[in-house]
Amino acid sequence: MKYGERSLPAILNRSFARFRILPHQEVQGACDRVLSRLRNEVERDPAAVVPIRLVAPSRLRWRRLAIAAAAAVVILAVLSVRPRTGLDATVEMAEGQAYRTGADSGAMLSLPDNSRVEMRSQSDLALERADDGLRIQLSKGSVIVNAPARRAGQLYVRTKDLTVAITGTVFLVDAEEAGSRVAVIQGNVRVQHGAMETNLTQNEQLVSNPSMKSAPVSEEIAWSQNIDIHLDQLQQSRKTIEERCGASDMRTVWHDNGGFNLRLPLTIWRNYKCQHERDAQMRTKPSEN
Amino acid sequence: MPLQSEFEELFREHSQMLYRTAYSLLDNGADAEDVLQTIFLRLLRGGLPRDFERNPKGYLYRAAVNLSLDTIRARKRQESADPQRFEVPTESIQSTEETHGRLAEALAELDPESTQIIVLKYLHSYKDADIARILGTSRGAIAMRLLRSRSRLKELMRALEEKQ
C-alpha cells in the first residue's frame, strides 16, 4: 500500500472506522469494570484518596454568560448589515453585498456561475460589478476560489494592490497588511499589479511585497475545510507540470522581466524549468486587457 | 468509604470517550481499561491538577492519548528485546488490522500533540474548530498541525513498511 497525500486520510478513516462502531455495551462494560476497580481501591486504602471539587463556580459561569451576551450583541450588529455565513451551508452571493467571517468560523459562498468561494475566518469581502463581469473585493483575510471555465463574463478578485483575473481554476488570494498573496492550486490565473501583469500557473505563488514570507502552497491552504480535495488537486497539478517540464524545481523568481535578485514589487515562486516556456508564450500572446 | 459522587460524575461523563481513544490506539480492550484506570487513579490519589481545572475534557483526552502511546512504545521495546515472541508470519497479508498496527506504531513516533489531533479528527470525527476547543488552541493552528502531521505520518508509515 502506498501512503500518498490522497490515500492517507482514507487509511486513517478506514483504520479508525472499526473503533467508531465498538458496541455500546462493550464500552459500557469496560468502563463499569474500571469504575468497580476504582471503588475497590478507595475501600482498600481510603487514606490515599484526595477529595476533589469540580470547578463550576456560578460566579465564573455568570461572567462567561455576560461575555457571551456582549459578544452576541456585537455579532447581531454585524449580521444586521451583512448576510449570515457559515461553513455548513453554502450562501449565494449577491451583487453589492458584503460578507465577513468571525474569529473562529469560515464560510462557503457561491456565485451564479457555480463558482465557489471559501472564506477563511476573519475575512472581509464584497461582491461588485466590474465592466465585463463580477469582482470580489477582498479587503482582509483569505479566500480559495474554485471557478469553472468561464463561458461569459469575467470574474476577478481584487485586493488593495493587485487584481487576479480568473479562468477555470482553483486558487488562493490572501490580503494581508503588508501586501497580497496569490497561490494557484489548479489551472492558471492572470495577475495584474500596477502596470505589470503575469500569468501564474498551478503550484506557483506570488506576493506583492518581497518582505512577505512564503510557505509551500499546501501549507498556505491548510485552513481550508476542503484541504483533502485541494491536496489532491495539487498533487495532480504537480504531475502535470512534471510531465511537461520534468521534476519539479520550484525557485524564487523576482518579477519575470526583472531577472533574478532585483527587488521589484512582485515575488514569484515558480517552476524554474517551465519559466522559459511560459515567457515565450507571454511574448507571443498579446495582453487581453 | 464510597467513591466521591463528584468523582463518579466525572468518570461517567468522560470514560467512554477515553476508553474508545485508548482502544483505537492499542487495539486491545484490556490495555485500554488499564489506561482508563491509570488516568482516574492518578486523579484519585493526586487530586485535580491546574490544567484539569482549566479544561477537563482536554486534560483527560491528552492523558488517554499519552498513556496509550507510552504503552505502544513499551510493547515495541519488549518486542525488540524478545523478537521471537512477536514473530510476524512470513506471508504477510495486508489486512486492516495490520495497517492499523503500523499506523499505531507510526503515531507513537509522532509528537503526542499531533497524535491527539489525528485521533480526534479520524476516530471521533470532530471538526477542526471543535478540536481547537478541546485542545485549547486556534482552528488555524489545528489545520496547520494536521497538514504537517499527515505528511510526517506518511513518511513514518513508508519507513515502517520498508523495514518490514
Side-chain angles (χ1 to χ4, degrees):
Chain A
M1 189 172 297
K2 296 283 170 257
Y3 304 110
E5 292 278 19
R6 188 177 195 170
S7 58
L8 191 66
I11 289 171
L12 285 163
N13 268 320
R14 208 172 41 238
S15 201
F16 283 118
R18 66 195 166 99
F19 301 104
R20 273 197 294 273
I21 53 166
L22 274 181
H24 176 73
Q25 293 94 320
E26 188 183 329
V27 177
Q28 188 60 60
C31 293
D32 287 346
R33 279 193 295 279
V34 173
L35 185 60
S36 162
R37 289 202 287 269
L38 290 168
R39 284 184 186 133
N40 291 342
E41 190 62 28
V42 174
E43 295 284 333
R44 195 180 63 77
D45 188 6
V49 175
V50 178
I52 62 163
R53 217 181 102 238
L54 293 179
V55 185
S58 54
R59 204 185 297 166
L60 186 64
R61 206 173 291 158
W62 279 112
R63 196 184 300 161
R64 280 183 188 156
L65 278 173
I67 292 168
V73 170
V74 173
I75 289 165
L76 277 174
V78 168
L79 290 179
S80 63
V81 291
R82 294 166 194 274
R84 187 176 181 156
T85 58
L87 252 191
D88 292 336
T90 301
V91 175
E92 280 185 27
M93 294 178 87
E95 209 183 303
Q97 285 279 18
Y99 301 83
R100 182 160 78 178
T101 47
D104 206 24
S105 62
M108 187 64 81
L109 312 172
S110 72
L111 285 162
D113 68 349
N114 287 330
S115 293
R116 301 266 159 170
V117 181
E118 184 179 357
M119 288 177 80
R120 191 179 187 169
S121 54
Q122 294 184 305
S123 299
D124 252 306
L125 62 82
L127 185 65
E128 301 169 345
R129 172 137 302 274
D131 293 341
D132 53 352
L134 287 170
R135 181 171 51 233
I136 295 165
Q137 179 70 45
L138 179 66
S139 40
K140 185 182 150 205
S142 305
V143 289
I144 293 177
V145 180
N146 188 340
R150 310 201 64 73
R151 293 199 185 98
Q154 270 290 4
L155 178 61
Y156 301 94
V157 177
R158 189 164 74 181
T159 65
K160 65 178 178 187
D161 54 3
L162 53 81
T163 303
V164 186
I166 303 161
T167 49
T169 187
V170 185
F171 66 100
L172 161 103
V173 183
D174 186 14
E176 299 173 23
E177 275 291 299
S180 307
R181 175 193 317 280
V182 183
V184 182
I185 299 164
Q186 202 169 54
N188 300 280
V189 294
R190 206 170 70 240
V191 183
Q192 192 167 3
H193 177 69
M196 282 189 266
E197 189 175 299
T198 186
N199 273 357
L200 210 60
T201 193
Q202 42 215 8
N203 269 287
E204 295 182 342
Q205 60 173 299
L206 161 161
V207 292
S208 63
N209 180 345
S211 69
M212 291 168 74
K213 293 267 184 298
S214 182
V217 179
S218 57
E219 290 191 14
E220 300 287 359
I221 57 170
W223 54 269
S224 170
Q225 285 288 320
N226 296 321
I227 181 67
D228 290 339
I229 296 169
H230 295 321
L231 286 177
D232 230 17
Q233 290 167 328
L234 269 180
Q235 203 176 25
Q236 283 167 20
S237 299
R238 205 170 297 139
K239 270 189 203 151
T240 313
I241 290 174
E242 287 182 2
E243 276 165 18
R244 206 178 71 211
C245 308
S248 184
D249 181 12
M250 302 300 285
R251 294 187 196 179
T252 304
V253 180
W254 309 111
H255 187 257
D256 292 304
N257 52 14
F260 291 94
N261 301 321
L262 283 174
R263 288 262 162 184
L264 283 167
L266 290 184
T267 306
I268 304 173
W269 281 262
R270 71 174 17 153
N271 191 308
Y272 176 69
K273 289 177 183 168
C274 287
Q275 194 193 345
H276 294 296
E277 185 189 331
R278 188 185 1 262
D279 287 348
Q281 279 174 2
M282 288 285 285
R283 276 192 293 275
T284 53
K285 192 176 170 188
S287 167
E288 287 164 24
N289 260 7
Chain B
M1 179 182 162
L3 202 54
Q4 212 186 331
S5 62
E6 282 96 332
F7 194 91
E8 290 220 9
E9 187 191 323
L10 188 70
F11 183 88
R12 291 195 192 286
E13 189 180 342
H14 298 287
S15 56
Q16 295 210 6
M17 188 231 190
L18 301 179
Y19 178 78
R20 279 180 198 274
T21 299
Y23 198 152
S24 74
L25 287 168
L26 298 166
D27 202 359
N28 181 306
D31 286 350
E33 283 185 31
D34 285 347
V35 165
L36 188 60
Q37 186 172 331
T38 306
I39 294 169
F40 282 94
L41 260 183
R42 283 181 185 173
L43 294 181
L44 206 57
R45 289 182 178 150
L48 303 180
R50 193 171 275 268
D51 283 0
F52 177 93
E53 287 177 3
R54 269 198 296 266
N55 178 1
K57 188 173 182 175
Y59 174 88
L60 292 170
Y61 173 73
R62 278 196 188 95
V65 170
N66 294 351
L67 281 170
S68 303
L69 295 180
D70 287 347
T71 308
I72 295 170
R73 290 186 201 110
R75 275 185 197 164
K76 211 175 165 191
R77 280 196 296 275
Q78 206 173 354
E79 188 182 340
S80 42
D82 184 8
Q84 294 296 317
R85 208 179 136 207
F86 294 93
E87 202 175 351
V88 178
T90 41
E91 278 188 34
S92 173
I93 299 160
Q94 188 76 48
S95 64
T96 312
E97 285 82 0
E98 200 179 329
T99 308
H100 187 79
R102 197 174 295 141
L103 173 67
E105 243 185 276
L107 286 172
E109 304 244 334
L110 272 186
D111 59 297
E113 290 79 15
S114 298
T115 305
Q116 288 157 11
I117 295 170
I118 283 174
V119 175
L120 282 173
K121 175 106 181 160
Y122 293 98
L123 171 69
H124 298 292
S125 308
Y126 279 115
K127 289 185 174 174
D128 291 1
D130 298 323
I131 299 174
R133 241 189 318 277
I134 293 171
L135 299 181
T137 182
S138 70
R139 185 174 161 262
I142 293 294
M144 185 61 76
R145 195 67 178 260
L146 199 54
L147 185 79
R148 289 184 178 151
S149 309
R150 282 194 303 218
S151 176
R152 177 80 188 116
L153 193 60
K154 191 176 66 180
E155 287 170 15
L156 288 167
M157 288 184 76
R158 271 197 195 129
L160 283 168
E161 191 182 42
E162 278 161 20
K163 214 160 76 179
Q164 287 166 6

